[in-house]
Amino acid sequence: MPQDKIPHSILFCCDHNAIRSPMAEGIMKRLYGRSAYVQSAGVKSDMEIDGFAIAVCDEIGVALSNHRSRSFEEMQAWGDDLGGFDLIVALSPASQRLALEMTRVFHLDIEYWPIMDPSGLAEGREAKLAAYRQTRDQIMSKMVERFGPATVDGAGPERQ
């Protein structure tokens, strides 16, 4: 898929759908508006959205507090067919493996973005926030590199 081209539908995935993939989903919607249908999922959905992820995304105007974690299996059970996405972006090795396994019969693009998992990397609130900000900023940088400049807030055209 060519760089600077926003696909019509994107699924971001990571291990638990509690930190990286919800951040990516929220940031994508914030930067590119309705230019794509965007969802996120995890290999497992055994965790709630992480409070530090909520805090660092709030800093940039991305609200994650209403996010509900879901797994690939739950997505499919609720009617979201993985084959219906134009692009799956895996943010962890485990999610990349599962995405490849579950979509091997579909013609869609799967990309792996090596985004740092900030959980457990630091001690103390400020150090943890710094690690989560680093992850948030990695996601934003990779997004702009992959999809081009933001298309909301007058930064560019938005697909209708």
Side-chain angles (χ1 to χ4, degrees):
M1 189 168 289
Q3 301 300 90
D4 281 354
K5 172 122 175 72
I6 299 176
H8 290 282
S9 57
I10 304 168
L11 175 68
F12 291 100
C13 55
C14 65
D15 295 340
H16 301 277
N17 193 224
I19 301 172
R20 290 171 287 180
S21 57
M23 282 180 156
E25 177 185 351
I27 291 168
M28 183 78 188
K29 290 174 179 176
R30 173 74 174 96
L31 294 180
Y32 303 100
R34 294 172 294 161
S35 59
Y37 173 72
V38 181
Q39 291 292 311
S40 64
V43 173
K44 303 174 193 170
S45 64
D46 57 349
M47 299 172 70
E48 293 297 319
I49 184 76
D50 186 283
F52 288 106
I54 292 169
V56 301
C57 283
D58 277 346
E59 294 173 351
I60 61 166
V62 174
L64 296 183
S65 58
N66 290 329
H67 179 80
R68 296 294 166 254
S69 297
R70 64 184 185 160
S71 67
F72 281 106
E73 287 80 16
E74 289 169 328
M75 258 186 77
Q76 289 184 309
W78 297 340
D80 267 335
D81 181 10
L82 294 180
F85 288 94
D86 297 315
L87 173 64
I88 296 177
V89 177
L91 306 172
S92 71
S95 65
Q96 179 190 28
R97 283 190 299 277
L98 186 57
L100 288 168
E101 171 67 24
M102 293 181 77
T103 63
R104 67 178 178 265
V105 297
F106 300 114
H107 179 72
L108 56 85
D109 291 322
I110 298 176
E111 295 180 9
Y112 172 60
W113 296 359
I115 302 295
M116 174 184 78
D117 178 0
S119 62
L121 289 182
E123 294 295 323
R125 179 173 172 73
E126 289 309 312
K128 285 181 181 283
L129 285 170
Y132 279 71
R133 286 181 190 115
Q134 185 178 355
T135 294
R136 175 200 66 200
D137 295 346
Q138 281 182 332
I139 292 168
M140 288 179 66
S141 294
K142 188 68 177 166
M143 229 172 251
V144 170
E145 174 188 315
R146 172 63 172 84
F147 302 121
T151 59
V152 295
D153 298 328
E158 193 173 327
R159 184 183 297 149
Q160 298 298 321

